[in-house]
Amino acid sequence: MTETIFAPATAAGRAAVAVVRLSGPGTADAVRALAGRLPAARRASLRSLRDGQGREIDRALVLWMPGPASYTGEDSAEFHVHGGPAVVASLLAALAGLGLRLAEPGEFTRRAFEHGKLDLAQAEGVADLIEAETEQQRKQALAQLEGRLSDVQARWREGLTEALAYFEAAVDFPDEELPADVAARAAPVLQRLAAELEAAIADAERGERVREGFRIALVGAPNAGKSTLLNALVGREAAIVTATPGTTRDVIEVPLVLAGYKVLLADTAGLRDTEEEIEAEGVRRARAWAESADLRLWLVDGSATELPGLPDEVGEGDLCLITKRDLATGPAGVWAAEVARRMDIPSAEVTAKGPSDMAWLQRTLGELVVAALAGAEPPAATRLRHRELLEEAAERVRRAMGEGSELELAAEDVRLAARALDRITGRIDPDHVLGRIFATFCIGK
Ligand SMILES: Nc1nc2c(ncn2[C@@H]2O[C@H](COP(=O)(O)OP(=O)(O)O)[C@@H](O)[C@H]2O)c(=O)[nH]1
Ligand SMILES: [Mg+2]
């Protein structure tokens, strides 16, 4: 039998109000035990809550939401109590005393999924909405919760069903009076599907970046001014600045918000050959981070007399910043401007000591992020999980198109494409896969 679960739905700590929620068949009995008779459905009622010994816990708003018209689809309830830690602890103890169980992370949403209230992609939207820190993350998560991915998935799924019907008809009734070209009718359907899947895969990267953060790496020789620039941009001392080259050894990732997008700005070890073991590892990590970043800012100390060399990672679409503009320009500054011109990447002279330079840089970076991530509508796919399944489906569709007269093989490929798409909405995923996904949710959701 289904257990009845409970959990705080609000964060731990002191707050005006804390919400504790319940779900499962024992909800009505639990509400009666704590709050007296059951309140009218979906109406807030002020009640005195009492534990098993009749001692008062708190005065609370009680919401009774009978299934199936509830978030989980089961009988459920909420207690809105005063948000003190002792109040919440006392209420949780009373619920445990009634034989109810504390919910696992994501268990309420998992139950909603199991009762068909939302599919797996929408459930991921719920988790993303809770995690959203920026405006664009919020919009994308809400679109996913409202079924943006689920809707296109359903349309592709229909296309596959149609193509499969043509193949199966041709296989099952070869000698009947079927039009000769029935299998050929699948071709345009599959072609359209392949194109749409490809487009969604190309767009998935954008969704992942919005969700996880657009990655900008600061690269350049030791002493170029990377750590100083990072601190000036984020407005706090996130990285250590010294006049000693080789101070920064690990990659320091600092989150910031630019134009409503989450951005990860990384300060890295200065790129140079070194015998020192720890610094060498830092340089290796710096290179790896820079290579996989979405944008690199190549910093060159413009006042230096020695030329620093051009990092391999820097290329098209990146930006060259000639630093320490407040000092006299040296040979390195002249050289860097020329290298940038020849590589056809923009360069600018800046100083971390000038607030207007930093404001300009913030604006410029914001524009680059918008150019990379903004689109007419939010991307459908937003996670690696989605992209991998779309790639599998696209591959199967391409194979089906290439099978020629081998109709059974083509039909099987279409079935496998459909299975990959079904996994996006979690329709056929086994228990342990679902368990892994819901385990990343927070408690009480
Ligand atoms: N005058 C001046 N000095 C700077 C500027 N940016 C950094 N520096 C100095 O250059 C040295 C190296 O800076 P740091 O940020 O540690 O360089 P990193 O090794 O690239 O991280 C420090 O002494 C900084 O104070 C700048 O815009 N103007
Ligand atoms: Mg540094």
Side-chain angles (χ1 to χ4, degrees):
M1 198 186 113
T2 313
E3 290 174 294
T4 301
I5 52 172
F6 66 92
T10 41
R14 212 183 298 139
V17 175
V19 176
V20 172
R21 70 200 316 201
L22 326 181
S23 184
T27 299
D29 284 343
V31 171
R32 278 192 210 98
L34 287 165
R37 75 203 144 70
L38 213 53
R42 287 175 287 280
R43 291 268 179 89
S45 316
L46 183 64
R47 293 294 171 85
S48 179
L49 303 183
R50 290 179 187 280
D51 68 12
Q53 277 77 50
R55 290 174 303 216
E56 188 169 29
I57 298 168
D58 191 10
R59 283 159 62 80
L61 279 186
V62 181
L63 283 174
W64 155 242
M65 293 163 288
S70 67
Y71 179 71
T72 56
E74 303 174 328
D75 282 355
S76 49
E78 285 179 11
F79 297 111
H80 295 215
V81 294
H82 293 96
V87 176
V88 174
S90 169
L91 177 54
L92 297 182
L95 289 166
L98 293 172
L100 275 51
R101 167 169 75 70
L102 189 65
E104 317 251 345
E107 196 169 2
F108 289 90
T109 306
R110 175 152 191 177
R111 289 188 176 193
F113 167 77
E114 274 158 10
H115 291 105
K117 291 281 167 177
L118 31 72
D119 65 32
L120 190 56
Q122 290 176 301
E124 286 172 330
V126 171
D128 288 351
L129 204 47
I130 291 168
E131 295 291 328
E133 292 168 323
T134 71
E135 185 59 9
Q136 298 302 331
Q137 287 176 317
R138 180 187 67 75
K139 282 189 184 162
Q140 177 168 296
L142 189 62
Q144 193 168 320
L145 170 58
E146 287 175 346
R148 165 123 182 78
L149 177 56
S150 313
D151 291 349
V152 283
Q153 188 270 2
R155 211 180 60 228
W156 292 328
R157 196 64 183 70
E158 272 172 32
L160 288 175
T161 306
E162 186 188 344
L164 190 59
Y166 293 137
F167 286 133
E168 284 178 343
V171 170
D172 291 350
F173 312 101
D175 305 323
E176 305 287 315
E177 291 182 2
L178 268 169
D181 63 342
V182 71
R185 288 191 205 170
V189 176
L190 292 177
Q191 236 149 37
R192 183 175 48 81
L193 260 171
E196 289 192 18
L197 288 170
E198 292 300 341
I201 292 164
D203 206 25
E205 184 88 22
R206 188 164 68 95
E208 288 166 50
R209 283 291 149 266
V210 170
R211 205 176 149 261
E212 293 160 15
F214 185 85
R215 290 151 49 97
I216 303 179
L218 299 172
V219 297
N223 245 7
K226 299 179 293 298
S227 300
T228 308
L229 188 94
L230 175 111
N231 290 343
L233 268 180
V234 302
R236 65 184 172 87
E237 302 298 302
I240 301 170
V241 173
T242 69
T244 314
T247 304
T248 308
R249 285 149 166 225
D250 214 340
V251 178
I252 300 174
E253 275 178 37
V254 184
L256 73 162
V257 181
L258 291 176
Y261 289 93
K262 177 171 177 178
V263 171
L264 287 172
L265 188 63
D267 184 20
T268 61
L271 303 175
R272 68 169 174 184
D273 294 329
T274 172
E275 298 287 301
E276 214 264 312
E277 206 178 323
I278 299 174
E279 193 189 345
E281 175 60 19
V283 171
R284 198 191 59 72
R285 290 184 193 189
R287 288 196 180 281
W289 211 98
E291 202 165 31
S292 65
D294 301 299
L295 172 71
R296 281 145 295 271
L297 305 183
W298 173 38
L299 271 66
V300 177
D301 176 350
S303 70
T305 42
E306 241 175 85
L307 306 186
L310 171 67
D312 298 338
E313 294 76 15
V314 176
E316 200 190 328
D318 292 337
L319 196 60
C320 170
L321 294 176
I322 301 166
T323 61
K324 312 191 192 179
R325 176 168 82 83
D326 53 307
L327 304 177
T329 305
V334 177
W335 169 82
E338 176 57 20
V339 172
R341 199 186 56 74
R342 260 189 274 141
M343 289 176 73
D344 204 19
I345 63 173
S347 71
E349 290 183 20
V350 295
T351 171
K353 302 193 171 183
S356 63
D357 284 15
M358 292 303 100
W360 168 84
L361 187 55
Q362 282 211 345
R363 259 197 329 275
T364 303
L365 294 179
E367 284 162 13
L368 288 170
V369 174
V370 168
L373 299 186
E377 27 183 355
T382 61
R383 295 178 181 232
L384 181 61
R385 186 183 82 81
H386 306 157
R387 180 150 54 93
E388 285 176 348
L389 291 170
L390 290 177
E391 276 164 0
E392 193 177 324
E395 172 62 20
R396 289 292 166 188
V397 169
R398 274 194 301 270
R399 279 204 211 179
M401 292 194 295
E403 298 294 2
S405 56
E406 301 281 359
L407 300 182
E408 272 110 344
L409 291 180
E412 184 56 14
D413 280 326
V414 171
R415 270 183 222 110
L416 290 170
R419 188 173 303 177
L421 288 185
D422 283 347
R423 292 186 58 195
I424 288 180
T425 48
R427 241 203 277 182
I428 56 156
D429 258 324
D431 225 42
H432 69 273
V433 175
L434 293 171
R436 220 170 41 225
I437 292 170
F438 282 104
T440 64
F441 284 45
C442 53
I443 295 236
K445 193 64 233 179

